[in-house]
Amino acid sequence: MDTRTNSLVVKDLSLNIDRMERLLQNLDRRSPQILIEAKIVEVTSNYAREIGVQWGGGYTGGNGSVTGGATGVTQATSSGSAGTTTGIPAIGSSTFFPQTGDIGRSGNAYVVNLPAAVGAGAGGALGMTLTRLMGGRLALDLQLSAMQSTGNGRILSSPKVLTMNNKEAKISSGTDIPIQIVSATAVTSVNTLGVQIISATTSISAIPTITNDNRILMVVKLEKADPDFSQEVNGIPTITRRSAEAQLVVDNGETVVLGGILAKNESRSESAVPYLSKIPIIGWFFKETSTTQTQDELMVFITPTIVND
C-alpha cells in the first residue's frame, strides 16, 4: 500500500486479483453528501390595554373654598405644558378637551389621579370640565384616558450546511457578550481584571446517515439563546435559552417540523383607591386597570437532500 498516492499494489493469482478488483470497486466509492437546509421561524405577538380615570374640582362658598387633589402637582396650560392654567371657560356649562397632567382645566388638582400611560402614538385622553354649577361656586373636572397597542413580528433565518454521510454538521450564528471579571490571587492579594465571554447564539447540529432504502436518518439538536436586555444584572443582560433534540427518519428532499416551542405570558394589574374601588359601577371612578399579553412561538423546518454526482 502506497499512502503517498493512495494506491494499493496486489500480487496474486489472476483469479484472486479479479475478485479483489470487484471487491475494491464496491468498496472504493465516493461517499455521498447531504445538504441540510433549516428554516427557523419565530413569531411574536403582543397586546396591551390600559384604562384610567382622573377627576376633581373645587367649591367656593361664602365662608371659604374646598379643592381636591394631592400635593406636589404641577399646573398645566391648555396645551399641556408646565405653567399657569389658561383658557378656563368663563361662559357655558361644559367644555370637552383632551389633556394630560395632574391639573384639571379649572385649575384644581385631581382628587383621583390614576391616568393610563397615554402619549403620542400610544393612546389618548378625553376630558370634560363643568363650570358655573351652583351659581358658579362649583367646578368639576373629569378626564378618561385609554391606551391600547398590538404588535406582531416574525424572524426568519435559513441556514444551510453540506456534510458527508454519517458526519456531524453544525452551523451557528449570534452574539458574544464580553463581561468584566475580577479575580484575586491568594499569594499576592492583588486583584486582576479579566474578560469573560457569554455567547448568545442560534445553533443547529445534525448527524445524517443514509439508509439502505435511500432515506435519511438524522440526530438533530437545536439551541436558541437570546440576550434579554429588559432584565439586566449589573448591566449584564440575562440569556434566554430554548433547545430541542430529536431523532427522525426523513425521505430524501422531504421537509419535517422539528417542533414548536410556545411561550405565552398574561398579566393584569390594578391601581385603585382602597374600599371605594370595590363599590359596584361607581368603583370604576376610583381605579386604573392594565392588561398585557405576550406570545412567542419557535418553529424549525428541516429539509435534508442527498447530493449525487
Side-chain angles (χ1 to χ4, degrees):
M1 180 175 59
D2 186 2
T3 57
R4 183 179 59 85
T5 59
N6 195 25
S7 304
L8 183 65
V9 180
V10 177
K11 183 178 180 182
D12 205 328
L13 299 177
S14 177
L15 178 62
N16 294 334
I17 292 179
D18 293 338
R19 294 174 58 188
M20 293 180 185
E21 185 177 2
R22 290 193 299 267
L23 177 61
L24 291 176
Q25 288 178 355
N26 293 329
L27 296 178
D28 192 14
R29 291 184 177 182
R30 179 176 298 178
S31 178
Q33 300 182 95
I34 298 97
L35 176 65
I36 301 176
E37 180 180 2
K39 291 185 180 296
I40 303 174
V41 181
E42 184 174 4
V43 181
T44 303
S45 62
N46 59 77
Y47 168 80
R49 182 180 64 187
E50 191 172 348
I51 299 175
V53 63
Q54 297 167 287
W55 63 269
Y59 173 78
T60 303
N63 297 325
S65 62
V66 178
T67 59
T71 58
V73 297
T74 304
Q75 285 191 334
T77 64
S78 59
S79 61
S81 59
T84 304
T85 303
T86 60
I88 300 175
I91 302 176
S93 59
S94 64
T95 300
F96 293 89
F97 60 93
Q99 177 183 307
T100 58
D102 299 326
I103 300 295
R105 185 64 175 244
S106 65
N108 299 311
Y110 289 116
V111 176
V112 176
N113 189 17
L114 298 172
V118 299
L126 178 63
M128 179 180 66
T129 295
L130 302 177
T131 59
R132 292 196 177 276
L133 299 178
M134 300 178 64
R137 296 191 300 271
L138 178 63
L140 295 178
D141 295 317
L142 175 63
Q143 178 168 278
L144 300 178
S145 54
M147 183 275 294
Q148 179 172 323
S149 63
T150 58
N152 294 282
R154 185 179 68 175
I155 301 175
L156 176 64
S157 60
S158 182
K160 298 179 182 179
V161 62
L162 183 66
T163 183
M164 297 181 63
N165 184 32
N166 207 27
K167 297 295 183 180
E168 182 181 11
K170 186 175 182 179
I171 186 171
S172 63
S173 63
T175 304
D176 289 338
I177 303 174
I179 60 174
Q180 190 178 59
I181 59 175
V182 179
S183 59
T185 59
V187 178
T188 60
S189 299
V190 177
N191 295 333
T192 58
L193 298 179
V195 177
Q196 182 178 353
I197 302 297
I198 299 178
S199 297
T201 61
T202 299
S203 62
I204 297 178
S205 63
I207 303 177
T209 303
I210 302 176
T211 61
N212 295 330
D213 55 354
N214 209 37
R215 305 180 73 186
I216 302 173
L217 171 65
M218 286 196 306
V219 178
V220 184
K221 296 181 181 179
L222 166 68
E223 181 177 350
K224 192 175 190 301
D226 297 316
D228 187 359
F229 291 95
S230 62
Q231 300 181 11
E232 297 183 353
V233 178
N234 296 330
I236 302 173
T238 59
I239 304 298
T240 303
R241 298 185 184 275
R242 287 176 286 181
S243 61
E245 183 175 350
Q247 296 183 3
L248 44 91
V249 178
V250 186
D251 291 334
N252 184 23
E254 181 184 12
T255 300
V256 295
V257 181
L258 179 60
I261 303 176
L262 177 64
K264 186 175 182 180
N265 297 320
E266 296 183 4
S267 63
R268 188 178 187 273
S269 62
E270 181 178 287
S271 301
V273 179
Y275 305 113
L276 297 178
S277 61
K278 303 300 182 181
I279 302 176
I281 301 177
I282 302 178
W284 286 101
F285 290 93
F286 296 91
K287 64 182 178 181
E288 177 261 335
T289 60
S290 175
T291 303
T292 304
Q293 296 179 357
T294 59
Q295 179 174 308
D296 296 327
E297 185 173 8
L298 179 65
M299 295 174 290
V300 181
F301 303 87
I302 297 180
T303 305
T305 304
I306 300 175
V307 179
N308 296 317
D309 290 340

